[in-house]
Amino acid sequence: MNTPPSPPGPERTDGSSVQIGALVPLTRPGWVAAGQHLLAGLELAVREVNDAGGVVGRPLELVVRDTAADPQQATAAVDELARLGVAALAGEYHSVVARAAAGRADALGLPFLCSSAVLDALTEQPTEWVARLSPPQSHGWQIYADFLLSAGHSRIAVAAQPSVYWASGTRILRDYLAPRGGTVIELDMSALTPAAVCDELVGNRATALLLLVGHPEPAVPIVKSVRRDQRLAEIMIGAPAGQPEFAEWATLLGDDSAGVPFLRYLPERLGPLGARVEKVLRERLGEAPSFVAFEGYDTVAVLADVLRSHGADRARTAESWPRVAVEGTRGQIQFSRTRGISVWQWASAPVQVVDRDPAEPGRFRIRHAGRESTEV
C-alpha cells in the first residue's frame, strides 16, 4: 500500500519519494500480456533511476492502478492519483482507455506521458498537459496500408468489432487506399461467425483479411477458420494492432501464428541502451520483450529527466515537453506538434511491419519500414 505524500508544495529534501501514477491493464478484458510488458518496462526504468540516485536525491516510486481496459475505471484512477499528489501520469496501452485518462488529466492539470496508445484524437482539444511516445494511428496504419499495396493487395477485408479504435483504423485504411486503387470491405464481427467470415472473403474476392478484433477472442478462432479453408489458401491475414507480437499468440495458434504482419514500434537494430535493456527485460519477463516493454522503459526515462530538471511541479513538467531531449531505448526522444494531433508527439518513433517467420515462428521478420510523422 502506498502512503499518500504531503500535498504538492515546495521541493522536499527529506528522502520522501517522487511518485508517478502508472495506468496499466492487468486484468481482463484488458490485454494482460501487454500490461505486464508495459509494467515491466516502467518498473525496470524506475529501479535504474533509483540505483543512480533517484530524482534530486529522492527515490522515484510507481503508484500502479489497473485499468482493465475500462475507460471509467481509468478516469477514477486518474482522480485518485491526482488526490494522492503524484507528479505525473504514465502508461496505458488501450487507446480508448488512454483517451479517457488523457481527457481527465487535461481537466485536472496533471501531466500525462502516454506510453503506448495510438488513437489520433487522444484529447478533444489541443492540450499542453499530455505527451505521447507511440506513433499516432493515422501514421502507423498508413505505413501498414503502404505495405499492403506493395505486397499486391487491393481488395482488403477488415473483420471488425464495434469500437472507436477499430472504426478509426478502418477509416484510415479506406481513406488512404481508395485513391490508390484499393478497396476496403467491412465485415461486422458482431454479426458473423468465423466460418461465415470465410464465406464473405470468398464472395468478395478479398486477397487480404485484417483482424480488427480483440485477442484471443475472436482473433484466434478467425485465424484457425481461415487457415483451414482450402478456398482461402492464398489469402494474407494481417493484424495491424499487434496481436501477434506477444508469446500467447504463438502458443494458441502454433504454426498458424506465422505470416500475420503487424505493426511494431522498434528500430531495425537496437543501440547500446536498447540492447542492454532488452537483455534485462528478457530475464524479468522470461520471454522476448515486446515493443510495449520498451515504451514503458522510455516513459520513465523521459519523466525522470524532466523531474530532475524541473522538480515535481506539475505545471513546469507540462511546460517542459517541447524541451525534452532524452536518449531512449529506440532512439532520441523529442516532442513536437504534429499535424492533426492534439498532444505533444514523438514524431520520429520507429515503425515497422513485422511478422513471425513461417520457417521459425519464434523469430520475427521485418517486412516493411516506415517514415517519420509530419510536423506542423
Side-chain angles (χ1 to χ4, degrees), residues 125-144:
Q125 301 295 331
T127 176
E128 301 297 320
W129 293 98
V130 183
R132 173 167 55 190
L133 287 176
S134 56
Q137 188 180 19
S138 57
H139 177 58
W141 287 48
Q142 285 179 12
I143 290 170
Y144 197 92

Side-chain angles (χ1 to χ4, degrees), residues 22 51 64 82 93 121 126 166 172 175 186 191 232 263 291 294 345:
D51 287 347
V64 180
Y93 176 78
W166 301 126
I172 291 164
D175 289 350
E186 288 188 63
L232 301 171
L263 286 167
F291 68 83
F294 291 97
Q345 180 70 51

Side-chain angles (χ1 to χ4, degrees), residues 3-280:
T3 303
S6 303
E11 282 293 298
R12 301 196 299 276
T13 57
D14 58 2
S16 58
S17 63
V18 176
Q19 294 184 321
I20 295 174
L23 304 175
V24 187
L26 295 173
T27 55
R28 294 199 182 279
W31 197 338
V32 175
Q36 291 169 338
H37 280 234
L38 177 57
L39 184 58
L42 293 166
E43 289 178 337
L44 174 60
V46 166
R47 189 183 76 184
E48 293 188 354
V49 167
N50 289 336
D51 287 347
V55 175
V56 291
R58 297 163 60 188
L60 202 57
E61 179 185 359
L62 282 184
V63 186
V64 180
R65 293 295 180 266
D66 174 21
T67 63
D70 183 338
Q72 291 183 326
Q73 190 164 318
T75 301
V78 173
D79 286 340
E80 179 198 3
L81 291 165
R83 289 194 302 270
L84 290 176
V86 300
L89 291 176
E92 193 46 47
Y93 176 78
H94 296 283
S95 282
V96 175
V97 179
R99 185 176 63 163
R104 190 61 182 155
D106 179 42
L108 294 173
L110 180 58
F112 176 28
L113 179 49
C114 184
S115 302
S116 198
V118 300
L119 196 66
D120 281 38
L122 204 57
T123 55
E124 293 294 329
Q125 301 295 331
T127 176
E128 301 297 320
W129 293 98
V130 183
R132 173 167 55 190
L133 287 176
S134 56
Q137 188 180 19
S138 57
H139 177 58
W141 287 48
Q142 285 179 12
I143 290 170
Y144 197 92
D146 277 336
F147 161 73
L148 291 172
L149 292 172
S150 67
H153 297 290
S154 60
R155 293 189 63 77
I156 296 138
V158 295
Q161 291 177 303
S163 158
V164 171
Y165 175 62
W166 301 126
S168 172
T170 301
R171 184 175 62 254
I172 291 164
L173 292 169
R174 178 177 286 111
D175 289 350
Y176 191 80
L177 290 168
R180 296 164 176 81
T183 301
V184 174
I185 303 142
E186 288 188 63
L187 305 180
D188 180 3
M189 292 313 301
S190 65
L192 294 173
T193 64
V197 167
C198 295
D199 293 335
E200 291 287 336
L201 295 173
V202 172
N204 283 287
R205 296 179 289 109
T207 65
L209 168 67
L210 305 187
L211 303 171
L212 309 193
V213 294
H215 171 73
E217 298 287 340
V220 169
I222 293 172
V223 172
K224 288 181 176 179
S225 185
V226 171
R227 293 289 204 218
R228 282 153 181 71
D229 193 317
Q230 294 182 354
R231 299 173 298 172
L232 301 171
E234 300 301 318
I235 200 164
M236 188 205 84
I237 303 175
Q243 294 93 325
E245 168 81 358
F246 297 94
E248 183 185 25
W249 174 269
T251 300
L252 292 172
L253 283 166
D255 290 345
D256 287 343
S257 67
V260 180
F262 63 94
L263 286 167
R264 183 171 72 165
Y265 308 127
L266 289 176
E268 185 175 352
R269 289 183 181 84
L270 293 169
L273 174 61
R276 179 183 65 76
V277 169
E278 193 275 342
K279 181 179 178 182
V280 180

